[in-house]
Each structure stands twice: as C-alpha cells, then as structure tokens.
Amino acid sequence: MRRFPPERIVCLTEETVETLYLLGEEHRIVGVSGYAVRPPRVRKEKPRVSAFTSADIPKILALDPDLVLAFSDLQAGIAADLARAGIAVHLFNQRDVAGCLAMIRTLGALVGAAERADALARSYEARLRDAAAAEAERPRLKVYFEEWDEPMISGIGWVSDLIGHAGGCDVFPDLSRAQAAKDRIVTSEQVIAAAPDVILASWCGKRVNIERIRARPGWHDIPAVAAGRIHEIKSPLILQPGPAALSDGFDGIRAALG
C-alpha cells in the first residue's frame, strides 16, 4: 500500500464491500464486484470492475487503487496479474465462521478501524452464541445443504458451522472442510443414506428448483422430502463468507429449522 489507511480500495468479492460499508469506510471503495448487492445502494454508488473468476484489469489499474481485496484460490490469477502490475493485493481465504470473523477484524485493521471491526465481529459472535444456547435443549435435526445441483455439491465450512449454531447437524461435516468444491461432490445415494430431516439449497447464481429436488429418483423416502422440508436460501445471503451469511443467511437457516 502506498498510504495508510488505504484511500482507494477495489473489492473483487461481495463480503469485503459489505464489511467496509458496515464499518462506515465505504468512501474508500472505488471499484467492486459485479455481484455486490449489499447494501443495495452500492449498485448505484460504485463502478463494477469484476465478475468472480474474471476482472477488467485495465479498468482496475485506471482506478489507481492503493489496495485490492480478493478471495480464494479462484481469484489467485487475478491477484497475480495485479501484483505484477505493482498493485498491493490482500487475498482472503476464509472457509468457516472463524475465518469470516477474522476477515472482518483483519479488514478493519487494514483501514484503521480495528475497534469498530472488533465490535462488529463480537456482535455476530454474540448472535451465534445466543442462538446456539436457545437451541441447546431441542433435538438436532439432520441437514443436507446443497450448494449446486449438477453435480450435487454439499455445503462449505461456514455453512456447516452456521447449521450447527442454528441447532442442526450437517450430514456431511467432513466434506465441509474440503478446500475445493469438487471435493464436496456427493452422490444421490449418499444423500439418501444420510436421511436428512431438512434440505437447504442455494444454487450459486441460479434459482433453486424445489420440484426437481423432490422428484429425484429414490428421494421420496428421505424424511425432508416426505415432510416437505426443502427450503431455498438465496445465494447472496448464504454463499458470501462474511456479514450476509452471519446475519440474514443464518436467520434463513434458523427459520428453516424452526
């Protein structure tokens, strides 16, 4: 970074955008991901410079950023291109709730708002702790979370963690710790054998077709299907590893399990 705190930040994913707005530091943002929708006013206030696995490098360079914020191995190529162009890049790689909270605190430190970031993270920690305490005496429902349908991909770490805080039990907890989506692929037979009480689905980038899930061969005897407990949680709420998942995404899980 040329300046501290950085005055011109480009965010290549949604969660850092929302975090900076929540910290009152949105004036530092000069470019965002095309998927950034929280808060709604970001769509009118900030120029779009990237998708998820692609970015307009010349457009980003023209914004003269002090810092670019990226996420995961899927943006490693973009980060490398920017680094070779002389741009400071911080690439986050959070995969669980602890990582989401660490991202908030780290980002706060990067923009000179460490105390506000810690307070924000603590507020999410308190909500999760209170929710878990409220559900402690209830039977734990078995939950299958589907992140994609063809092939079927089970939930990532932060989703599995949030299911646990909501009083549920992820039926594929070990897979949730896998780094790559391809390592979380499950078969229809595995889901049938797991016999989830609730199915949550969030197909990244497209609407969930609940009827199609219900009609899968052999799924009619799954408790969740038999009881009609198949619920969509919109992907911008639950598949964004930051404030959205910790707030509205978590509330969606709690509502489905209630």
Side-chain angles (χ1 to χ4, degrees):
M1 292 186 295
R2 293 170 298 175
R3 293 179 284 265
F4 182 82
E7 297 174 7
R8 301 181 63 79
I9 298 175
V10 169
C11 302
L12 300 183
T13 52
E14 313 98 291
E15 65 279 351
T16 50
V17 173
E18 184 174 11
T19 300
L20 287 170
Y21 269 88
L22 289 169
L23 295 177
E25 299 291 335
E26 68 274 13
H27 59 281
R28 302 185 187 280
I29 303 173
V30 295
V32 300
S33 160
Y35 294 106
V37 295
R38 292 169 63 95
R41 61 190 177 97
V42 70
R43 299 178 69 88
K44 297 180 180 179
E45 293 179 350
K46 308 296 181 180
R48 311 327 236 182
V49 298
S50 69
F52 185 61
T53 57
S54 63
D56 189 331
I57 301 296
K59 189 172 184 178
I60 293 172
L61 296 178
L63 292 170
D64 191 29
D66 300 313
L67 177 65
V68 173
L69 301 172
F71 170 71
S72 89
D73 55 302
L74 295 176
Q75 293 192 331
I78 300 171
D81 289 343
L82 290 169
R84 281 190 283 266
I87 301 299
V89 180
H90 187 102
L91 191 148
F92 290 100
N93 212 359
Q94 67 272 23
R95 302 297 175 126
D96 53 18
V97 164
C100 294
L101 296 168
M103 178 276 293
I104 291 170
R105 290 185 166 104
T106 301
L107 183 51
L110 286 171
V111 298
E115 290 187 6
R116 274 175 282 146
D118 184 58
L120 180 61
R122 286 180 182 275
S123 72
Y124 292 130
E125 288 171 333
R127 289 187 80 240
L128 296 176
R129 185 172 57 248
D130 291 346
E135 301 296 333
E137 301 302 320
R138 297 180 58 180
R140 296 182 74 82
L141 297 173
K142 294 189 294 181
V143 181
Y144 166 55
F145 185 94
E146 186 169 284
E147 186 178 304
W148 193 247
D149 60 327
E150 294 179 345
M152 291 184 290
I153 297 176
S154 60
I156 199 167
W158 68 81
V159 174
S160 181
D161 290 346
L162 292 174
I163 288 170
H165 285 291
C169 180
D170 178 13
V171 296
F172 298 116
D174 294 337
L175 295 183
S176 75
R177 304 301 153 183
Q179 285 289 100
K182 65 180 178 61
D183 295 325
R184 291 184 279 113
I185 292 175
V186 296
T187 65
S188 186
E189 290 74 21
Q190 285 176 296
V191 179
I192 293 170
D197 301 299
V198 179
I199 293 174
L200 304 178
S202 183
W203 297 346
C204 185
K206 68 178 181 180
R207 186 176 180 178
V208 170
N209 187 324
I210 291 176
E211 286 302 319
R212 190 187 304 164
I213 293 174
R214 185 180 290 118
R216 288 172 180 166
W219 281 45
H220 56 278
D221 287 331
I222 293 176
V225 176
R229 301 195 69 174
I230 307 172
H231 306 275
E232 177 180 14
I233 300 179
K234 300 296 185 183
S235 57
L237 301 184
I238 194 61
L239 298 184
Q240 180 245 77
L246 297 171
S247 57
D248 293 345
F250 180 54
D251 289 345
I253 293 174
R254 293 190 73 192
L257 269 56

